[in-house]
Amino acid sequence: MKTDHLIDALARNVEPAEKSRWGGKLAITIVAGLGIAALLVAIGLGVRPDIGAARMPVMMKAMFAAFAAAVMLPLVVQLMKPGRPLGWRIGAILVFMGICAVATIIALMGEMPERRWEAWMGGRGSAPWCVVLIPILAAPCAALFTWLMRAFAPTQLTLTGAAIGAVSGGIAAMAYAMYCPTDSVAFVATWYAVAIGVCAALGALLGSKILRW
Amino acid sequence: MADEAHLKALVLRGLAGDEAAHRAFLTEAAALLRAYFRNRLRGAREDAEDLVQETLVALHTRRDSYDPNYPLTAWMYAIARYRLIDFLRRAKHRAHADIDGIEIGEADPDYEASDARRDVATLLDQLPEKQRRAIQLVKLEEKSVREATLETGYTESDIKISIHRGLKTLMKLMGQEQPT
């Protein structure tokens, strides 16, 4: 088929284009992703037994995670449609990472030197399991986001994959806060951020394969 | 010659359902894309024409992805670049593909269209029956959507959805097909 014929065929009987209602779809994706992650925590990990007494730290951690997701979200939205500059949306993420680093350092400075390692690692003999668990909880949410994005036209697939991964990681971390037994600021600011980074890295690796259109 | 404001006006009118404006946009876009791809795929005119066609289908099926707050040409070339990268990735998997010697040259949209390597019409045969017939009748045989409903028994929205889905599937097939 000659290109001229193709153009004729494409243009013939063209309809008014439908408005892309991305706002509602995005909201549904986020709520569903959070719901699934919360369900997985409740079933698979169990809510921490002292959730009543620990309401405040759990809320704080969930808010931290929500803030992380909110910082990444503008990038996802901007990447939905081709040819839009990313600008401050990348900058916001870098600033957020800086805040996490500063918060960790300040919190550790406040600890006695011999207790710093424990505060950072989440207690004696403990390890930051969230680095593994948050990416697992984020997977269903990331799948929903992938499905959402494929309805649009992302053209930078690796970056889009990373952004989707990071937002999903943030959303999963909100749910994970119900389980997570460690409340130290240094722990959360470091390992939640690292867990979200792992999600972003996995998203970047998979992006160019699963987001193709 | 085509410029940003002119092309943008055509696209916006096309989005509102203006067939002539949409055709004019695709025609001018094809010339710009031809220059873009030929400059980057030196000596592979048929591949360039394949990419022109792929990108035109992408611009058409994803035209709702244009955000009027940003430049039209940025949108168009972002999609063109995406198709090019996708093509080069595919080419890497083809043993005989020559992807060396790709360089950026002067843009000259006055190239003549050369033949494409693949024939889009044959790809139509791979579509599901309903999508194939809808595209065949409305897009190739110049029938109205109304006439197509009479001929097939499908409803009007059925026909429209089938065309839209069919074109998206077609673009996917264009991306998968491995020329031998």
Side-chain angles (χ1 to χ4, degrees):
Chain A
M1 188 187 278
K2 297 267 193 207
T3 303
D4 288 344
H5 295 155
L6 180 70
I7 291 171
D8 269 341
L10 290 175
R12 189 168 295 135
N13 288 313
V14 80
E15 299 277 329
E18 280 180 40
K19 282 256 183 303
S20 58
R21 291 186 184 76
W22 58 270
K25 289 176 189 164
L26 181 66
I28 292 170
T29 305
I30 291 170
V31 171
L34 181 60
I36 294 172
L39 208 64
L40 287 177
V41 170
I43 296 170
L45 297 170
V47 175
R48 59 191 273 184
D50 61 343
I51 184 96
R55 202 176 303 140
M56 268 312 283
V58 168
M59 281 297 289
M60 292 297 288
K61 283 191 282 184
M63 294 218 344
F64 172 79
F67 184 65
V71 167
M72 315 288 176
L73 201 56
L75 185 62
V76 171
V77 171
Q78 195 72 351
L79 285 164
M80 280 178 174
K81 296 184 174 185
R84 301 199 288 195
L86 304 176
W88 60 266
R89 294 160 192 85
I90 300 276
I93 294 167
L94 296 176
V95 169
F96 175 75
M97 287 162 65
I99 291 173
C100 290
V102 170
T104 304
I105 291 167
I106 290 176
L108 288 180
M109 297 299 267
E111 297 281 348
M112 302 290 281
E114 63 273 18
R115 290 206 60 248
R116 277 182 192 154
W117 179 256
E118 271 182 39
W120 200 33
M121 284 296 152
R124 186 176 299 277
S126 171
W129 282 106
C130 55
V131 172
V132 179
L133 292 172
I134 288 176
I136 293 171
L137 294 171
C141 184
L144 292 175
F145 262 103
T146 302
W147 190 51
L148 172 75
M149 291 305 270
R150 284 172 58 95
F152 294 89
T155 52
Q156 292 163 271
L157 301 189
T158 302
L159 186 60
T160 306
I164 288 177
V167 168
S168 304
I171 291 171
M174 287 171 73
Y176 182 76
M178 296 192 306
Y179 160 79
C180 174
T182 313
D183 298 329
S184 106
V185 172
F187 178 88
V188 173
T190 302
W191 299 113
Y192 276 37
V194 169
I196 291 170
V198 169
C199 296
L202 291 172
L205 284 176
L206 292 173
S208 64
K209 292 180 187 71
I210 59 179
L211 288 166
R212 263 189 80 203
W213 53 273
Chain B
M1 199 52 245
D3 60 54
E4 168 64 33
H6 171 62
L7 282 178
K8 183 169 177 172
L10 288 178
V11 167
L12 292 180
R13 272 160 56 203
L15 284 169
D18 182 336
E19 187 177 320
H22 191 52
R23 177 176 284 115
F25 163 67
L26 290 175
T27 307
E28 294 198 23
L32 292 168
L33 293 170
R34 196 165 290 128
Y36 176 89
F37 289 126
R38 281 200 195 166
N39 281 329
R40 282 157 183 76
L41 298 170
R42 279 285 156 84
R45 305 189 134 214
E46 293 166 334
D47 286 336
E49 201 60 25
D50 280 355
L51 274 167
V52 170
Q53 295 191 356
E54 255 180 66
T55 309
L56 288 173
V57 178
L59 291 174
H60 173 80
T61 53
R62 306 269 168 162
R63 65 203 176 108
D64 58 348
S65 77
Y66 173 55
D67 181 343
N69 296 316
Y70 296 94
L72 184 276
T73 41
W75 171 73
M76 185 176 86
Y77 284 116
I79 292 182
R81 191 169 159 276
Y82 171 69
R83 296 313 313 179
L84 179 66
I85 290 171
D86 196 71
F87 170 83
L88 294 176
R89 277 210 186 112
R90 273 179 272 145
K92 245 199 299 196
H93 297 292
R94 291 200 295 270
H96 63 276
D98 175 24
I99 56 169
D100 295 328
I102 293 159
E103 51 190 82
I104 296 165
E106 289 293 301
D108 178 4
D110 296 327
Y111 288 129
E112 291 275 307
S114 62
D115 283 337
R117 189 186 291 277
R118 87 166 83 75
D119 188 0
V120 176
T122 62
L123 288 181
L124 273 179
D125 294 337
Q126 295 178 38
L127 293 184
E129 171 68 12
K130 196 168 172 184
Q131 296 175 1
R132 192 186 59 74
R133 278 196 80 190
I135 290 176
Q136 188 70 38
L137 291 171
V138 178
K139 292 295 191 184
L140 299 178
E141 292 177 14
E142 313 194 24
K143 296 206 162 90
S144 69
V145 175
R146 182 105 208 91
E147 288 167 320
T149 61
L150 294 176
E151 193 154 326
T152 56
Y154 302 140
T155 65
E156 253 183 58
S157 64
D158 248 2
I159 296 271
K160 286 175 194 171
I161 290 168
S162 296
I163 292 171
H164 192 67
R165 290 210 179 126
L167 289 176
K168 280 191 173 177
T169 317
L170 192 65
M171 194 181 60
K172 214 173 272 173
L173 290 173
M174 292 169 108
Q176 279 169 3
E177 201 206 16
Q178 313 246 322
T180 42

